[in-house]
Amino acid sequence: VLLAGDFGAGKSHLLEYLQHVALEHNFVCSKVVVSKETPLYDTSKVYHSAIQSARVPNRAGTVLNAVAEKLDFDSQGYQDFYRWVFSPRTSLDSRFAASVFVFERGQGGRYPEVSDRILQFWGGARAPETELKGWLRELGEVATYKFGKISVRDLTLQRYEFVSRLIVAAGYSGWII
């Protein structure tokens, strides 16, 4: 749903109300203001704005840190997410599967510098290919993941779906942008 209206029509008030309701229903919410700095056609800028503005129910801090803290690797939600990420039918770039593998093997926070770097990638930073290969090598999985070329736009589009499913895997109802 895209809201439009003249100055003073109540767009911001409506969005604040809807965000309040969504947070009460356990949704992660992002308010993105479309402007010259964040044009709707630029998926990377919209994604960056959505990640930066995301609010998590009853949590403080950045969205991906809050989501990562709530992940339970033994939960049904996470198991469904894991199967989707590693499914041969998924259209995800292998960088996502590799990063999930490394993140989980590091128990999501046992190696904070590794976890932070992976969360940055999920949040929109450049893929840490060299670091990922090193971590995979340490875990004996270097041959499993091949990193081909992918455009920034395609990687960003995949991040929307990946992070949306990650949010659900952490027990939230979904992600509203």
Side-chain angles (χ1 to χ4, degrees):
V1 175
L2 189 63
L3 295 175
D6 292 333
F7 181 76
K11 301 177 298 294
S12 296
H13 289 291
L14 177 61
L15 285 175
E16 286 299 321
Y17 171 74
L18 293 174
Q19 182 177 35
H20 177 75
V21 171
L23 288 168
E24 283 182 346
H25 286 88
N26 203 37
F27 282 90
V28 172
C29 296
S30 298
K31 187 164 96 176
V32 176
V33 177
V34 177
S35 66
K36 290 178 190 174
E37 293 80 27
T38 311
L40 195 54
Y41 65 83
D42 190 328
T43 57
S44 294
K45 288 182 180 177
V46 172
Y47 181 80
H48 179 75
S49 180
I51 287 293
Q52 294 301 313
S53 69
R55 291 189 52 202
V56 181
N58 305 313
R59 302 290 288 224
T62 64
V63 64
L64 291 174
N65 284 332
V67 167
E69 288 172 9
K70 277 198 69 180
L71 285 175
D72 175 2
F73 300 135
D74 296 322
S75 72
Q76 184 62 49
Y78 183 80
Q79 293 301 316
D80 293 343
F81 168 75
Y82 189 90
R83 275 191 295 281
W84 171 75
V85 169
F86 289 91
S87 169
R89 294 181 308 201
T90 188
S91 60
L92 283 179
D93 183 80
S94 63
R95 289 164 182 85
F96 290 102
S99 64
V100 168
F101 178 82
V102 170
F103 187 81
E104 184 177 324
R105 293 307 181 274
Q107 296 300 311
R110 194 168 70 195
Y111 304 108
E113 65 283 349
V114 174
S115 296
D116 287 346
R117 190 66 184 99
I118 290 172
L119 292 177
Q120 289 171 16
F121 164 59
W122 294 347
R126 190 184 63 74
E129 292 178 26
T130 304
E131 295 162 283
L132 259 178
K133 288 176 184 176
W135 299 326
L136 290 167
R137 193 173 10 269
E138 288 175 23
L139 295 168
E141 290 291 331
V142 74
T144 306
Y145 304 96
K146 304 292 182 216
F147 304 142
K149 290 190 181 244
I150 185 168
S151 71
V152 171
R153 183 180 187 281
D154 287 343
L155 200 58
T156 300
L157 291 173
Q158 291 179 23
R159 278 187 176 111
Y160 281 104
E161 186 172 12
F162 176 84
V163 170
S164 296
R165 289 178 182 249
L166 182 69
I167 286 168
V168 171
Y172 295 103
S173 299
W175 186 19
I176 298 175
I177 301 174

